PDB file of all heavy atoms in Angstrom:
ATOM      1  N   ALA A 124     -58.074  34.840 -77.869  1.00 85.00           N
ATOM      2  CA  ALA A 124     -57.359  33.778 -78.454  1.00 85.00           C
ATOM      3  C   ALA A 124     -56.572  32.870 -77.533  1.00 85.00           C
ATOM      4  O   ALA A 124     -56.346  31.731 -77.766  1.00 85.00           O
ATOM      5  CB  ALA A 124     -56.429  34.288 -79.550  1.00 85.00           C
ATOM      6  N   TYR A 125     -56.014  33.473 -76.457  1.00 86.00           N
ATOM      7  CA  TYR A 125     -55.138  32.673 -75.561  1.00 86.00           C
ATOM      8  C   TYR A 125     -55.664  32.528 -74.142  1.00 86.00           C
ATOM      9  O   TYR A 125     -54.965  32.467 -73.119  1.00 86.00           O
ATOM     10  CB  TYR A 125     -53.834  33.317 -75.534  1.00 86.00           C
ATOM     11  CG  TYR A 125     -53.053  33.320 -76.843  1.00 86.00           C
ATOM     12  CD1 TYR A 125     -53.049  34.319 -77.764  1.00 86.00           C
ATOM     13  CD2 TYR A 125     -52.548  32.072 -77.333  1.00 86.00           C
ATOM     14  CE1 TYR A 125     -52.402  34.297 -78.855  1.00 86.00           C
ATOM     15  CE2 TYR A 125     -51.787  32.013 -78.505  1.00 86.00           C
ATOM     16  CZ  TYR A 125     -51.791  33.108 -79.410  1.00 86.00           C
ATOM     17  OH  TYR A 125     -51.130  33.018 -80.498  1.00 86.00           O
ATOM     18  N   SER A 126     -56.928  32.707 -73.896  1.00 83.00           N
ATOM     19  CA  SER A 126     -57.559  32.654 -72.636  1.00 83.00           C
ATOM     20  C   SER A 126     -57.229  31.140 -72.094  1.00 83.00           C
ATOM     21  O   SER A 126     -57.436  30.237 -72.782  1.00 83.00           O
ATOM     22  CB  SER A 126     -59.051  32.834 -72.663  1.00 83.00           C
ATOM     23  OG  SER A 126     -59.653  31.822 -73.449  1.00 83.00           O
ATOM     24  N   GLY A 127     -56.893  31.106 -70.947  1.00 84.00           N
ATOM     25  CA  GLY A 127     -56.358  29.788 -70.178  1.00 84.00           C
ATOM     26  C   GLY A 127     -55.133  29.324 -70.562  1.00 84.00           C
ATOM     27  O   GLY A 127     -54.774  28.337 -69.997  1.00 84.00           O
ATOM     28  N   TYR A 128     -54.367  30.069 -71.325  1.00 86.00           N
ATOM     29  CA  TYR A 128     -53.038  29.576 -71.745  1.00 86.00           C
ATOM     30  C   TYR A 128     -51.960  30.284 -70.768  1.00 86.00           C
ATOM     31  O   TYR A 128     -52.191  31.484 -70.559  1.00 86.00           O
ATOM     32  CB  TYR A 128     -52.658  29.842 -73.205  1.00 86.00           C
ATOM     33  CG  TYR A 128     -51.400  29.388 -73.644  1.00 86.00           C
ATOM     34  CD1 TYR A 128     -51.241  27.982 -73.930  1.00 86.00           C
ATOM     35  CD2 TYR A 128     -50.321  30.178 -73.571  1.00 86.00           C
ATOM     36  CE1 TYR A 128     -49.993  27.483 -74.295  1.00 86.00           C
ATOM     37  CE2 TYR A 128     -49.009  29.658 -74.087  1.00 86.00           C
ATOM     38  CZ  TYR A 128     -48.964  28.388 -74.473  1.00 86.00           C
ATOM     39  OH  TYR A 128     -47.781  27.890 -74.775  1.00 86.00           O
ATOM     40  N   TYR A 129     -51.020  29.553 -70.291  1.00 88.00           N
ATOM     41  CA  TYR A 129     -50.081  30.105 -69.459  1.00 88.00           C
ATOM     42  C   TYR A 129     -48.617  29.911 -70.097  1.00 88.00           C
ATOM     43  O   TYR A 129     -48.304  28.784 -70.615  1.00 88.00           O
ATOM     44  CB  TYR A 129     -50.136  29.518 -67.973  1.00 88.00           C
ATOM     45  CG  TYR A 129     -51.238  29.960 -67.316  1.00 88.00           C
ATOM     46  CD1 TYR A 129     -52.440  29.151 -67.392  1.00 88.00           C
ATOM     47  CD2 TYR A 129     -51.281  31.068 -66.469  1.00 88.00           C
ATOM     48  CE1 TYR A 129     -53.688  29.552 -66.693  1.00 88.00           C
ATOM     49  CE2 TYR A 129     -52.442  31.474 -65.835  1.00 88.00           C
ATOM     50  CZ  TYR A 129     -53.542  30.757 -65.907  1.00 88.00           C
ATOM     51  OH  TYR A 129     -54.728  31.308 -65.215  1.00 88.00           O
ATOM     52  N   ILE A 130     -47.942  30.892 -69.844  1.00 85.00           N
ATOM     53  CA  ILE A 130     -46.489  30.810 -70.334  1.00 85.00           C
ATOM     54  C   ILE A 130     -45.490  30.278 -69.151  1.00 85.00           C
ATOM     55  O   ILE A 130     -45.606  30.824 -68.054  1.00 85.00           O
ATOM     56  CB  ILE A 130     -45.884  32.060 -70.910  1.00 85.00           C
ATOM     57  CG1 ILE A 130     -46.786  32.772 -71.918  1.00 85.00           C
ATOM     58  CG2 ILE A 130     -44.489  32.030 -71.233  1.00 85.00           C
ATOM     59  CD1 ILE A 130     -46.863  32.049 -73.254  1.00 85.00           C
ATOM     60  N   LYS A 131     -44.790  29.240 -69.248  1.00 85.00           N
ATOM     61  CA  LYS A 131     -43.935  28.784 -68.281  1.00 85.00           C
ATOM     62  C   LYS A 131     -42.722  29.626 -68.225  1.00 85.00           C
ATOM     63  O   LYS A 131     -42.029  30.020 -69.149  1.00 85.00           O
ATOM     64  CB  LYS A 131     -43.491  27.357 -68.556  1.00 85.00           C
ATOM     65  CG  LYS A 131     -44.564  26.373 -68.460  1.00 85.00           C
ATOM     66  CD  LYS A 131     -44.068  24.965 -68.766  1.00 85.00           C
ATOM     67  CE  LYS A 131     -45.141  24.007 -68.817  1.00 85.00           C
ATOM     68  NZ  LYS A 131     -44.825  22.673 -69.198  1.00 85.00           N
ATOM     69  N   LEU A 132     -42.320  30.039 -66.879  1.00 81.00           N
ATOM     70  CA  LEU A 132     -41.211  30.899 -66.646  1.00 81.00           C
ATOM     71  C   LEU A 132     -40.094  30.110 -65.912  1.00 81.00           C
ATOM     72  O   LEU A 132     -40.383  29.345 -65.157  1.00 81.00           O
ATOM     73  CB  LEU A 132     -41.630  32.064 -65.894  1.00 81.00           C
ATOM     74  CG  LEU A 132     -42.758  33.054 -66.404  1.00 81.00           C
ATOM     75  CD1 LEU A 132     -43.102  34.067 -65.476  1.00 81.00           C
ATOM     76  CD2 LEU A 132     -42.109  33.681 -67.602  1.00 81.00           C
ATOM     77  N   PRO A 133     -38.844  30.550 -66.239  1.00 82.00           N
ATOM     78  CA  PRO A 133     -37.767  29.821 -65.659  1.00 82.00           C
ATOM     79  C   PRO A 133     -37.407  30.442 -64.209  1.00 82.00           C
ATOM     80  O   PRO A 133     -36.363  30.304 -63.822  1.00 82.00           O
ATOM     81  CB  PRO A 133     -36.624  30.182 -66.612  1.00 82.00           C
ATOM     82  CG  PRO A 133     -36.959  31.452 -67.032  1.00 82.00           C
ATOM     83  CD  PRO A 133     -38.458  31.511 -67.159  1.00 82.00           C
ATOM     84  N   PHE A 134     -38.396  30.908 -63.523  1.00 81.00           N
ATOM     85  CA  PHE A 134     -38.053  31.489 -62.144  1.00 81.00           C
ATOM     86  C   PHE A 134     -38.658  30.458 -61.093  1.00 81.00           C
ATOM     87  O   PHE A 134     -39.745  29.878 -61.229  1.00 81.00           O
ATOM     88  CB  PHE A 134     -38.760  32.888 -62.102  1.00 81.00           C
ATOM     89  CG  PHE A 134     -38.490  33.901 -63.078  1.00 81.00           C
ATOM     90  CD1 PHE A 134     -39.353  34.408 -63.999  1.00 81.00           C
ATOM     91  CD2 PHE A 134     -37.080  34.207 -63.272  1.00 81.00           C
ATOM     92  CE1 PHE A 134     -38.965  35.271 -64.875  1.00 81.00           C
ATOM     93  CE2 PHE A 134     -36.683  35.160 -64.182  1.00 81.00           C
ATOM     94  CZ  PHE A 134     -37.702  35.644 -64.923  1.00 81.00           C
ATOM     95  N   PRO A 135     -37.981  30.469 -60.017  1.00 80.00           N
ATOM     96  CA  PRO A 135     -38.402  29.556 -58.918  1.00 80.00           C
ATOM     97  C   PRO A 135     -39.695  30.042 -58.206  1.00 80.00           C
ATOM     98  O   PRO A 135     -40.556  29.113 -57.843  1.00 80.00           O
ATOM     99  CB  PRO A 135     -37.245  29.619 -57.863  1.00 80.00           C
ATOM    100  CG  PRO A 135     -36.402  30.840 -58.107  1.00 80.00           C
ATOM    101  CD  PRO A 135     -36.684  31.168 -59.580  1.00 80.00           C
TER     102      PRO A 135
END
Side-chain angles (χ1 to χ4, degrees):
Y125 293 104
S126 62
Y128 185 80
Y129 290 89
I130 306 290
K131 292 180 184 176
L132 298 174
F134 305 120

